[in-house]
Amino acid sequence: MNLKINVTTKIIISLIILFFFYHLAEFMILFKNNPLGFFIFQLLFFIVAHLLGNWSNKTGLSFWGLPFSKKIFKYFLIGMPLGIILYAIPFFLSLVFGIEFIRNTPNFNAIIETSLPFIFGVIFSSFSEDLLTRGIVFRFLKDKLKNIWIVLISSLFFLLNHIYRLTEGYDTLLYIFLLGIILIIPVIFTKNLWVTGFMHWTGNSFFFVTHSAIQTDSNSSFITPNILFAFWIMLYIPLVWLICKKLNRFFEKGIILE
């Protein structure tokens, strides 16, 4: 008996499988402090994603929004400043208004030595999370729902994917959900994950440098750094939407997920 599985079912199966590999990698780094295990499962994530993309549409990672072309560097030049601005503005405002303060600033070499391993590792986790919570969701829903619903569903999935942070309080849940909104916007316009992935990676890297390599603490006040971050994201969302909409006109219709 020859059972044929349609593309929609294949995407759902792919989501379940890749969710498993993504969280195995997260478990290895968060609970076992095992960088090797983290990299092994991250590597397996992308290998399996490629195989599942071929299974679904014979296009590998391109099926999930990671096509390789000469445009990648252009997308990097867009995503990098968007990601830095996303985290830099609320950080500096937090320092100015005394919401946070710098407790200790190591020398430059120490900052670089501490930051480089993280910056290298987080590029994998940023892109794998983008593929899981945005690439697959966009692929599944793009011909079924309007963009606003794709944005909201992807953002909710992004929030729920942070399974170890769901008890950290409303301010954490709020900024993660809003972060999900702002990170799906470039996907809506470019139809791929490159701008979002570079934005996500550089933002995560900036946060690590300013909150771990450089040691900061929050003051006890009526507003938390997370609430300030959430307010800034709400202001930044329409700006990112406008930037991506304008910039997309300069591309040759983008790299379409077909």
Side-chain angles (χ1 to χ4, degrees), residues 108-247:
F108 180 77
N109 289 337
I111 292 174
I112 295 299
E113 185 178 339
T114 303
S115 301
L116 282 181
F118 177 87
I119 292 171
F120 175 74
V122 81
I123 192 170
F124 297 98
S125 60
S126 296
F127 273 93
S128 61
E129 186 172 38
D130 290 330
L131 191 155
L132 179 68
T133 63
R134 284 172 270 278
I136 294 179
V137 172
F138 184 77
R139 164 57 69 184
F140 183 65
L141 298 176
K142 72 184 185 76
D143 296 322
K144 299 179 177 66
L145 296 175
K146 293 182 178 179
N147 286 337
I148 183 63
W149 291 109
I150 296 175
V151 168
L152 293 175
I153 292 170
S154 172
S155 302
L156 180 60
F157 182 33
F158 178 67
L159 170 62
L160 296 176
N161 190 54
H162 289 75
I163 57 178
Y164 307 120
R165 304 194 63 190
L166 296 178
T167 60
E168 290 187 14
Y170 78 94
D171 56 341
T172 297
L173 301 182
L174 177 61
Y175 95 73
I176 292 175
F177 179 76
L178 292 171
L179 199 58
I181 291 177
I182 206 166
L183 288 174
I184 188 67
I185 290 173
V187 180
I188 297 297
F189 288 103
T190 66
K191 307 298 186 293
N192 66 68
L193 292 170
W194 290 115
V195 173
T196 283
F198 289 128
M199 185 177 174
H200 195 180
W201 171 49
T202 53
N204 281 340
S205 299
F206 183 90
F207 183 84
F208 180 86
V209 172
T210 56
H211 288 81
S212 294
I214 298 172
Q215 296 159 18
T216 59
D217 281 322
S218 60
N219 284 321
S220 178
S221 61
F222 71 96
I223 183 171
T224 66
N226 285 345
I227 288 295
L228 177 64
F229 189 33
F231 278 129
W232 166 244
I233 296 174
M234 284 188 280
L235 294 174
Y236 198 36
I237 284 172
L239 180 60
V240 170
W241 183 279
L242 180 62
I243 290 171
C244 289
K245 185 177 181 179
K246 293 285 187 182
L247 286 172

